[in-house]
Amino acid sequence: AIELALDHLIKHGHRRIGFITWGMPDDRVANPVDIVDVHFQRLVNAKLRRFEYLMTGRGLLENMSAFCMLNEQPDSSQRRLASYLQDANAPTAVICDGDFRAQAVYLAAAHVGLAVPEKLSVVGIGDTPWTRQLAPELTSVNMGEEAAADLAARLCLGQEPVTQLRCKIVPHLVTRASVAELRPGAEISG
């Protein structure tokens, strides 16, 4: 999913691409409350490593602020996002690891005077109903969750034989209005 989103943004001329994810408060990272915290942080770390690997492989990770981690506090997250989007090496496009995080990005971008998609392109992951609630509508990677849920329901209802099951779900990009071509010179800080 991250690779589909990244390649779509690169195809539109973006080179400074950021990744917006969720992070636990620092005190819970250092002292996890329970096993859920441990697994959650491992998942976040895996996503960050994958993004970093893909960016490095495309020669795009130098001289930029690659990640912005939000937390449970909306005000704190908005301040982090606003600061991130105003950084000297701010991205011209971001990938949100969940569609619902895009709403926070849209709000922070508006707060600092960046119009989506004219000044900041945004891609989500999940292709949830959130995508159509935002203005402009969010480009997102569909993870095939509806097909997986349908298969799971059929299995539970005994409508599918459970001998040996192999299910391949292939993510695909659903393009909407939140990504624009990067204009020449738009990446120059100043």
Side-chain angles (χ1 to χ4, degrees), residues 65-165:
S65 304
F67 315 119
C68 183
M69 297 185 75
L70 309 182
N71 61 32
E72 299 166 341
Q73 309 302 320
D75 290 343
S76 171
S77 289
Q78 282 300 306
R79 283 192 303 276
R80 282 182 188 199
L81 276 169
S83 176
Y84 178 69
L85 295 174
Q86 291 178 307
D87 185 83
N89 294 310
T92 60
V94 296
I95 299 168
C96 300
D97 76 342
D99 290 336
F100 59 94
R101 288 189 226 306
Q103 182 176 18
V105 172
Y106 279 41
L107 290 171
H111 180 74
V112 299
L114 297 175
V116 174
E118 294 83 2
K119 297 285 185 182
L120 180 70
S121 288
V122 183
V123 176
I125 295 176
D127 193 34
T128 63
W130 281 94
T131 60
R132 291 169 294 287
Q133 303 297 320
L134 296 170
E137 290 187 0
L138 181 67
T139 295
S140 186
V141 178
N142 183 300
M143 301 294 291
E145 292 166 337
E146 191 171 314
D150 182 58
L151 176 60
R154 289 192 321 242
L155 287 168
C156 290
L157 295 171
Q159 296 174 350
E160 292 284 334
V162 188
T163 51
Q164 183 177 10
L165 179 68

Side-chain angles (χ1 to χ4, degrees), residues 26-58:
D26 293 338
D27 62 325
R28 282 187 41 203
V29 172
N31 301 301
V33 173
D34 55 26
I35 194 70
V36 174
D37 281 358
V38 172
H39 288 293
F40 175 80
Q41 196 58 45
R42 285 182 184 160
L43 176 63
V44 169
N45 290 342
K47 289 178 185 181
L48 293 175
R49 282 193 306 273
R50 179 70 178 157
F51 177 75
E52 190 172 52
Y53 170 81
L54 292 169
M55 289 284 286
T56 301
R58 288 158 176 79

Side-chain angles (χ1 to χ4, degrees), residues 13 15-16 87-92 119 182-190:
R15 298 295 177 267
R16 288 203 322 241
D87 185 83
N89 294 310
T92 60
K119 297 285 185 182
L182 183 67
R183 294 186 331 262
E187 281 200 30
I188 299 170
S189 305

Side-chain angles (χ1 to χ4, degrees), residues 16-29:
R16 288 203 322 241
I17 301 167
F19 189 72
I20 310 297
T21 189
W22 181 264
M24 291 187 304
D26 293 338
D27 62 325
R28 282 187 41 203
V29 172

